[in-house]
mmCIF file with all atom_site columns, all heavy atoms in Angstrom:
data_model
loop_
_atom_site.group_PDB
_atom_site.id
_atom_site.type_symbol
_atom_site.label_atom_id
_atom_site.label_alt_id
_atom_site.label_comp_id
_atom_site.label_asym_id
_atom_site.label_entity_id
_atom_site.label_seq_id
_atom_site.pdbx_PDB_ins_code
_atom_site.Cartn_x
_atom_site.Cartn_y
_atom_site.Cartn_z
_atom_site.occupancy
_atom_site.B_iso_or_equiv
_atom_site.pdbx_formal_charge
_atom_site.auth_seq_id
_atom_site.auth_comp_id
_atom_site.auth_asym_id
_atom_site.auth_atom_id
_atom_site.pdbx_PDB_model_num
ATOM 1  N N   . PHE A 1 39  ? 158.460 -21.458 129.010 1.00 87.00 ? 126 PHE A N   1
ATOM 2  C CA  . PHE A 1 39  ? 159.099 -22.170 130.135 1.00 87.00 ? 126 PHE A CA  1
ATOM 3  C C   . PHE A 1 39  ? 160.568 -22.521 129.855 1.00 87.00 ? 126 PHE A C   1
ATOM 4  O O   . PHE A 1 39  ? 161.028 -23.627 130.139 1.00 87.00 ? 126 PHE A O   1
ATOM 5  C CB  . PHE A 1 39  ? 158.299 -23.433 130.496 1.00 87.00 ? 126 PHE A CB  1
ATOM 6  C CG  . PHE A 1 39  ? 156.860 -23.164 130.811 1.00 87.00 ? 126 PHE A CG  1
ATOM 7  C CD1 . PHE A 1 39  ? 155.857 -23.541 129.932 1.00 87.00 ? 126 PHE A CD1 1
ATOM 8  C CD2 . PHE A 1 39  ? 156.514 -22.491 131.980 1.00 87.00 ? 126 PHE A CD2 1
ATOM 9  C CE1 . PHE A 1 39  ? 154.521 -23.267 130.214 1.00 87.00 ? 126 PHE A CE1 1
ATOM 10 C CE2 . PHE A 1 39  ? 155.186 -22.214 132.276 1.00 87.00 ? 126 PHE A CE2 1
ATOM 11 C CZ  . PHE A 1 39  ? 154.190 -22.606 131.395 1.00 87.00 ? 126 PHE A CZ  1
ATOM 12 N N   . SER A 1 44  ? 170.895 -24.053 126.531 1.00 92.00 ? 131 SER A N   1
ATOM 13 C CA  . SER A 1 44  ? 170.859 -24.800 125.277 1.00 92.00 ? 131 SER A CA  1
ATOM 14 C C   . SER A 1 44  ? 169.620 -24.446 124.450 1.00 92.00 ? 131 SER A C   1
ATOM 15 O O   . SER A 1 44  ? 169.691 -24.342 123.222 1.00 92.00 ? 131 SER A O   1
ATOM 16 C CB  . SER A 1 44  ? 170.899 -26.302 125.553 1.00 92.00 ? 131 SER A CB  1
ATOM 17 O OG  . SER A 1 44  ? 169.770 -26.708 126.312 1.00 92.00 ? 131 SER A OG  1
ATOM 18 N N   . VAL A 1 110 ? 153.175 -13.192 137.673 1.00 55.00 ? 197 VAL A N   1
ATOM 19 C CA  . VAL A 1 110 ? 152.021 -12.445 137.157 1.00 55.00 ? 197 VAL A CA  1
ATOM 20 C C   . VAL A 1 110 ? 150.833 -13.378 136.955 1.00 55.00 ? 197 VAL A C   1
ATOM 21 O O   . VAL A 1 110 ? 149.684 -13.002 137.184 1.00 55.00 ? 197 VAL A O   1
ATOM 22 C CB  . VAL A 1 110 ? 152.373 -11.706 135.844 1.00 55.00 ? 197 VAL A CB  1
ATOM 23 C CG1 . VAL A 1 110 ? 152.664 -12.686 134.709 1.00 55.00 ? 197 VAL A CG1 1
ATOM 24 C CG2 . VAL A 1 110 ? 151.237 -10.776 135.435 1.00 55.00 ? 197 VAL A CG2 1
ATOM 25 N N   . TYR A 1 160 ? 133.064 -10.199 152.755 1.00 93.00 ? 247 TYR A N   1
ATOM 26 C CA  . TYR A 1 160 ? 134.437 -9.973  153.245 1.00 93.00 ? 247 TYR A CA  1
ATOM 27 C C   . TYR A 1 160 ? 135.265 -11.240 153.080 1.00 93.00 ? 247 TYR A C   1
ATOM 28 O O   . TYR A 1 160 ? 136.403 -11.201 152.596 1.00 93.00 ? 247 TYR A O   1
ATOM 29 C CB  . TYR A 1 160 ? 134.399 -9.551  154.709 1.00 93.00 ? 247 TYR A CB  1
ATOM 30 C CG  . TYR A 1 160 ? 135.751 -9.134  155.260 1.00 93.00 ? 247 TYR A CG  1
ATOM 31 C CD1 . TYR A 1 160 ? 136.137 -7.801  155.255 1.00 93.00 ? 247 TYR A CD1 1
ATOM 32 C CD2 . TYR A 1 160 ? 136.636 -10.084 155.771 1.00 93.00 ? 247 TYR A CD2 1
ATOM 33 C CE1 . TYR A 1 160 ? 137.377 -7.418  155.753 1.00 93.00 ? 247 TYR A CE1 1
ATOM 34 C CE2 . TYR A 1 160 ? 137.874 -9.715  156.262 1.00 93.00 ? 247 TYR A CE2 1
ATOM 35 C CZ  . TYR A 1 160 ? 138.238 -8.380  156.261 1.00 93.00 ? 247 TYR A CZ  1
ATOM 36 O OH  . TYR A 1 160 ? 139.478 -8.013  156.738 1.00 93.00 ? 247 TYR A OH  1
ATOM 37 N N   . HIS A 1 163 ? 136.319 -12.043 149.523 1.00 89.00 ? 250 HIS A N   1
ATOM 38 C CA  . HIS A 1 163 ? 137.513 -11.326 149.064 1.00 89.00 ? 250 HIS A CA  1
ATOM 39 C C   . HIS A 1 163 ? 138.788 -11.973 149.590 1.00 89.00 ? 250 HIS A C   1
ATOM 40 O O   . HIS A 1 163 ? 139.879 -11.622 149.137 1.00 89.00 ? 250 HIS A O   1
ATOM 41 C CB  . HIS A 1 163 ? 137.432 -9.850  149.473 1.00 89.00 ? 250 HIS A CB  1
ATOM 42 C CG  . HIS A 1 163 ? 136.570 -9.034  148.568 1.00 89.00 ? 250 HIS A CG  1
ATOM 43 N ND1 . HIS A 1 163 ? 135.218 -8.895  148.760 1.00 89.00 ? 250 HIS A ND1 1
ATOM 44 C CD2 . HIS A 1 163 ? 136.857 -8.345  147.434 1.00 89.00 ? 250 HIS A CD2 1
ATOM 45 C CE1 . HIS A 1 163 ? 134.716 -8.138  147.797 1.00 89.00 ? 250 HIS A CE1 1
ATOM 46 N NE2 . HIS A 1 163 ? 135.680 -7.797  146.985 1.00 89.00 ? 250 HIS A NE2 1
ATOM 47 N N   . PRO A 1 175 ? 112.106 -19.123 162.713 1.00 96.00 ? 262 PRO A N   1
ATOM 48 C CA  . PRO A 1 175 ? 111.295 -20.180 163.329 1.00 96.00 ? 262 PRO A CA  1
ATOM 49 C C   . PRO A 1 175 ? 110.221 -20.755 162.417 1.00 96.00 ? 262 PRO A C   1
ATOM 50 O O   . PRO A 1 175 ? 109.908 -21.945 162.498 1.00 96.00 ? 262 PRO A O   1
ATOM 51 C CB  . PRO A 1 175 ? 110.664 -19.477 164.540 1.00 96.00 ? 262 PRO A CB  1
ATOM 52 C CG  . PRO A 1 175 ? 111.635 -18.399 164.881 1.00 96.00 ? 262 PRO A CG  1
ATOM 53 C CD  . PRO A 1 175 ? 112.199 -17.931 163.571 1.00 96.00 ? 262 PRO A CD  1
ATOM 54 N N   . ASP A 1 231 ? 116.547 -17.934 170.429 1.00 98.00 ? 318 ASP A N   1
ATOM 55 C CA  . ASP A 1 231 ? 116.427 -19.233 171.097 1.00 98.00 ? 318 ASP A CA  1
ATOM 56 C C   . ASP A 1 231 ? 116.292 -20.355 170.058 1.00 98.00 ? 318 ASP A C   1
ATOM 57 O O   . ASP A 1 231 ? 116.915 -21.426 170.194 1.00 98.00 ? 318 ASP A O   1
ATOM 58 C CB  . ASP A 1 231 ? 115.205 -19.218 172.016 1.00 98.00 ? 318 ASP A CB  1
ATOM 59 C CG  . ASP A 1 231 ? 115.086 -20.505 172.819 1.00 98.00 ? 318 ASP A CG  1
ATOM 60 O OD1 . ASP A 1 231 ? 115.996 -20.793 173.618 1.00 98.00 ? 318 ASP A OD1 1
ATOM 61 O OD2 . ASP A 1 231 ? 114.093 -21.236 172.624 1.00 98.00 ? 318 ASP A OD2 1
ATOM 62 N N   . TYR A 1 232 ? 115.517 -20.098 169.021 1.00 98.00 ? 319 TYR A N   1
ATOM 63 C CA  . TYR A 1 232 ? 115.345 -21.080 167.946 1.00 98.00 ? 319 TYR A CA  1
ATOM 64 C C   . TYR A 1 232 ? 116.678 -21.333 167.230 1.00 98.00 ? 319 TYR A C   1
ATOM 65 O O   . TYR A 1 232 ? 117.058 -22.491 166.996 1.00 98.00 ? 319 TYR A O   1
ATOM 66 C CB  . TYR A 1 232 ? 114.302 -20.570 166.952 1.00 98.00 ? 319 TYR A CB  1
ATOM 67 C CG  . TYR A 1 232 ? 114.209 -21.389 165.685 1.00 98.00 ? 319 TYR A CG  1
ATOM 68 C CD1 . TYR A 1 232 ? 113.566 -22.618 165.647 1.00 98.00 ? 319 TYR A CD1 1
ATOM 69 C CD2 . TYR A 1 232 ? 114.796 -20.917 164.501 1.00 98.00 ? 319 TYR A CD2 1
ATOM 70 C CE1 . TYR A 1 232 ? 113.498 -23.367 164.482 1.00 98.00 ? 319 TYR A CE1 1
ATOM 71 C CE2 . TYR A 1 232 ? 114.730 -21.662 163.331 1.00 98.00 ? 319 TYR A CE2 1
ATOM 72 C CZ  . TYR A 1 232 ? 114.079 -22.877 163.322 1.00 98.00 ? 319 TYR A CZ  1
ATOM 73 O OH  . TYR A 1 232 ? 114.015 -23.617 162.166 1.00 98.00 ? 319 TYR A OH  1
ATOM 74 N N   . ILE A 1 244 ? 130.029 -21.354 167.321 1.00 97.00 ? 331 ILE A N   1
ATOM 75 C CA  . ILE A 1 244 ? 129.129 -20.201 167.390 1.00 97.00 ? 331 ILE A CA  1
ATOM 76 C C   . ILE A 1 244 ? 129.936 -18.969 167.764 1.00 97.00 ? 331 ILE A C   1
ATOM 77 O O   . ILE A 1 244 ? 130.719 -18.988 168.715 1.00 97.00 ? 331 ILE A O   1
ATOM 78 C CB  . ILE A 1 244 ? 128.008 -20.427 168.428 1.00 97.00 ? 331 ILE A CB  1
ATOM 79 C CG1 . ILE A 1 244 ? 127.197 -21.677 168.082 1.00 97.00 ? 331 ILE A CG1 1
ATOM 80 C CG2 . ILE A 1 244 ? 127.089 -19.211 168.496 1.00 97.00 ? 331 ILE A CG2 1
ATOM 81 C CD1 . ILE A 1 244 ? 126.169 -22.059 169.139 1.00 97.00 ? 331 ILE A CD1 1
ATOM 82 N N   . LEU A 1 263 ? 138.446 -21.901 160.935 1.00 95.00 ? 350 LEU A N   1
ATOM 83 C CA  . LEU A 1 263 ? 138.671 -22.758 159.778 1.00 95.00 ? 350 LEU A CA  1
ATOM 84 C C   . LEU A 1 263 ? 140.089 -23.309 159.767 1.00 95.00 ? 350 LEU A C   1
ATOM 85 O O   . LEU A 1 263 ? 140.310 -24.463 159.384 1.00 95.00 ? 350 LEU A O   1
ATOM 86 C CB  . LEU A 1 263 ? 138.395 -21.964 158.492 1.00 95.00 ? 350 LEU A CB  1
ATOM 87 C CG  . LEU A 1 263 ? 136.942 -21.510 158.270 1.00 95.00 ? 350 LEU A CG  1
ATOM 88 C CD1 . LEU A 1 263 ? 136.849 -20.673 157.008 1.00 95.00 ? 350 LEU A CD1 1
ATOM 89 C CD2 . LEU A 1 263 ? 136.023 -22.729 158.168 1.00 95.00 ? 350 LEU A CD2 1
#
Side-chain angles (χ1 to χ4, degrees):
F126 304 108
S131 62
V197 66
Y247 187 94
H250 280 88
D318 184 62
Y319 170 77
I331 302 174
L350 295 177

